[in-house]
Amino acid sequence: VRDVGIYIFNEHDKLKLSKKITEMLQEVFAEVVNVADQAGEDADALADIAEQRIAAEKKSAKQEAKWAREITFEVEIGALFKEKFFISPSGIQWKGTTTTLDSITRVRYGGTSHSVNGIPTGTDFIIAYGTNSNMTTIHIRKGKTYQAILARLWKAVSTKILLDILNRLKAGEKITFGDAVVTDYGVNIRRKKIFASGDFEQCKWSELQMWTADGCLHIGKKNDKKLVASLAYQDCDNVHILEFVLRHKFQKPGATLSGSFE
């Protein structure tokens, strides 16, 4: 009977039922010393686990409430015709449409500076988020509004997307970012040719380098100018997240990308 109580807890996480069985053993075999002592030890262990779970649930509830406060944000965007942008745990609301956070699988963002005769005239920002089937793009003129939304967007969805990318790579999947095909062991890059598209060549992490220029993230093979993938921040999905992942990887040498985060 004790084995059943242990089994249903270890294999099926039935804490309350396991406690009930242990209490029954204590009552029925109160005069059998060996059984009573063992049941008492089991009861104490289960009580400790229950207490730890209650504490963990309280901590989780506090963290969830803190996360909800940190991502909740509302602002009006536009010069003449203003539209309300609102983000919360329920999702992102924009122009009468709500997109749930769990459904968002890709993000893009960036800014383009303008000038006339060398005199800066301002910067246009875009933030885009989308599901597997739809993409929503928001145009913003105010830098503070742009930064405020980005801060919430990263905490609300980008971390989830990052973890999804790592799990997919670890499972052996190949993920395409523009002209680059990323695997857990490196990046497949198409060789540049003048009059035709070259073949993809596989590069290990130890052979690669990265840099940013002209609104793009560039990933290339060391000492080979013909083997470079250029990913535009405003046009390619999740490039900023990929950049974050790669910067972390290049600081931790190893065979796999997912392994550098373990």
Side-chain angles (χ1 to χ4, degrees), residues 25 69 77 113 125-126 214 241 261:
L25 287 172
R69 290 193 302 270
I77 300 173
S113 299
F125 301 97
I126 71 156
D214 303 321
I241 298 175
F261 282 84

Side-chain angles (χ1 to χ4, degrees), residues 60-156:
S60 177
K62 288 182 179 179
Q63 290 176 337
E64 188 172 345
K66 180 183 177 183
W67 173 79
R69 290 193 302 270
E70 289 176 344
I71 71 164
T72 301
F73 179 69
E74 181 178 338
V75 66
E76 289 188 335
I77 300 173
L80 296 177
F81 304 100
K82 296 184 180 297
E83 295 282 353
K84 184 178 76 171
F85 172 90
F86 180 63
I87 183 172
S88 73
S90 299
I92 299 176
Q93 297 178 20
W94 174 250
K95 291 187 175 181
T97 300
T98 299
T99 306
T100 61
L101 300 182
D102 287 340
S103 69
I104 297 175
T105 57
R106 48 201 179 119
V107 293
R108 305 175 187 172
Y109 49 88
T112 303
S113 299
H114 302 283
S115 63
V116 176
N117 297 326
I119 301 174
T121 58
T123 302
D124 291 329
F125 301 97
I126 71 156
I127 292 179
Y129 57 90
T131 63
N132 291 332
S133 57
N134 297 305
M135 198 76 175
T136 300
T137 302
I138 304 172
H139 296 271
I140 305 169
R141 290 286 294 176
K142 294 182 179 180
K144 288 184 178 180
T145 300
Y146 171 76
Q147 294 293 342
I149 293 176
L150 276 190
R152 275 75 179 184
L153 195 65
W154 180 268
K155 289 185 178 182

